[in-house]
Amino acid sequence: MYDQPRPNPAHHAMTFDQMLERVRYEGAYPTRERAAEAIRTVLAALGRQLTGDERVDLAQCLPVEAALTLTAQIPDTQHLTGWGFIKDLAAHTGLSPAVARWDTGAVLSVVTRLAGPDLLTRILHQLPDGYALLFGQAELRRARRS
């Protein structure tokens, strides 16, 4: 299974430097290194949850360095809720859940803009409940698929 990002010349995504600056601004991080660490840990955690076309399409929207972090992860067989995602991120990084939640919000707010509304809707339909808030969206109740 090779889901490496494919270049899409029609899409003018931001550079990794631009993404880094946006995340640094969103998260009010004191250094670029701290913002880069947040990008790496949050995208790695998201890469453990996201599969299929949504994973590939999101990777195409991200700067190459960010896309490689996302796609280098082997998806978990257990899909975590939004809160489970935060607890998992905290466990992987040694951060408190509050800091993990802050990092997630800072990174995913930028990812939301890069993905656009259509892809974001597809991503949120794939993931369990609780992710819309992490992406800065209203949490919509949806009927359980059987």
Side-chain angles (χ1 to χ4, degrees):
M1 170 155 124
Y2 297 99
D3 61 351
Q4 290 299 312
R6 296 184 295 268
N8 184 352
H11 190 271
H12 298 290
M14 63 176 65
T15 66
F16 187 72
D17 264 358
Q18 290 168 323
M19 182 181 190
L20 195 56
E21 285 305 316
R22 291 299 316 156
V23 169
R24 185 175 174 193
Y25 175 80
E26 292 289 338
Y29 296 116
T31 64
R32 290 171 56 90
E33 292 73 24
R34 180 65 186 89
E37 179 188 333
I39 292 171
R40 273 193 312 277
T41 58
V42 172
L43 288 180
L46 187 60
R48 292 192 294 272
Q49 294 299 310
L50 204 54
T51 59
D53 290 344
E54 290 75 18
R55 177 184 172 106
V56 174
D57 292 349
L58 179 59
Q60 289 177 344
C61 296
L62 299 173
V64 173
E65 300 90 332
L68 291 173
T69 299
L70 179 83
T71 59
Q73 305 304 310
I74 296 169
D76 284 344
T77 52
Q78 178 189 10
H79 291 286
L80 301 171
T81 63
W83 175 237
F85 178 89
I86 296 299
K87 290 193 298 189
D88 180 64
L89 182 60
H92 272 82
T93 59
L95 298 170
S96 71
V99 173
R101 173 66 181 91
W102 181 267
D103 287 358
T104 299
V107 173
L108 294 186
S109 68
V110 176
V111 169
T112 295
R113 287 197 288 277
L114 288 170
D118 295 341
L119 177 55
L120 184 62
T121 298
R122 288 174 38 217
I123 288 169
L124 291 176
H125 278 305
Q126 183 191 115
L127 295 169
D129 287 340
Y131 281 86
L133 295 173
L134 300 180
F135 280 92
Q137 308 297 304
E139 188 72 57
L140 301 175
R141 294 223 176 268
R142 56 180 183 256
R144 287 271 164 225
R145 286 172 273 177
S146 49

